[in-house]
Amino acid sequence: MEAAKEMTQRELALLVKNPYSYKGKIIVLYATITQFDSATGPCTFRADIAHAKQKERWDYDDNSVFTGGDGVSDCPDLGGFVDGDVVQITATSLGSISYDTQIGGRTTVPSFHVEKIAAVK
């Protein structure tokens, strides 16, 4: 496994613009979890991401989706996290994922597999 790479603000902007350009790369992101409930399941969550720890929760800008473990039911590393947590994540970039929104639209966002996750104080 390659070493995880800290991202610059510009690199993150390029990833968000073209998620497939980073597919397979292992990176370090900071995030605030925005949805982690029965709709996402125990192994998937939505989060707003940034290249570095931000001062306020609302400073994390870019919506994304993270999956851990087997992506379905076996994801012990995610068990202690909930909506609202601020985390540092080492993740493998998977490209993008599209999903239906609650207001009847569809959106496409960067997608990642969690390799390591830790709460940020």
Side-chain angles (χ1 to χ4, degrees):
M1 179 185 294
E2 73 179 71
K5 181 181 184 320
E6 293 271 347
M7 301 197 83
T8 65
Q9 188 173 7
R10 180 173 178 78
E11 287 170 329
L12 182 57
L14 290 168
L15 181 150
V16 169
K17 178 181 174 185
N18 181 4
Y20 283 98
S21 67
Y22 280 80
K23 186 173 182 182
K25 295 190 185 301
I26 300 172
I27 58 177
V28 176
L29 296 167
Y30 293 80
T32 182
I33 298 174
T34 56
Q35 183 182 8
F36 204 173
D37 55 23
S38 60
T40 64
C43 297
T44 301
F45 61 89
R46 285 188 328 103
D48 291 335
I49 58 175
H51 73 288
K53 182 183 175 198
Q54 302 298 298
K55 186 173 181 164
E56 302 292 343
R57 282 191 61 207
W58 53 82
D59 291 333
Y60 295 86
D61 290 328
D62 299 301
N63 184 19
S64 57
V65 171
F66 290 86
T67 302
D70 69 1
V72 180
S73 62
D74 185 21
C75 46
D77 292 346
L78 302 183
F81 296 96
V82 296
D83 183 356
D85 287 347
V86 177
V87 293
Q88 179 189 44
I89 304 170
T90 301
T92 302
S93 177
L94 301 176
S96 67
I97 188 170
S98 296
Y99 64 88
D100 295 327
T101 65
Q102 289 184 340
I103 59 171
R106 190 154 179 82
T107 193
T108 301
V109 300
S111 175
F112 304 94
H113 184 269
V114 175
E115 305 300 335
K116 186 166 70 171
I117 185 170
V120 173
K121 300 293 180 208

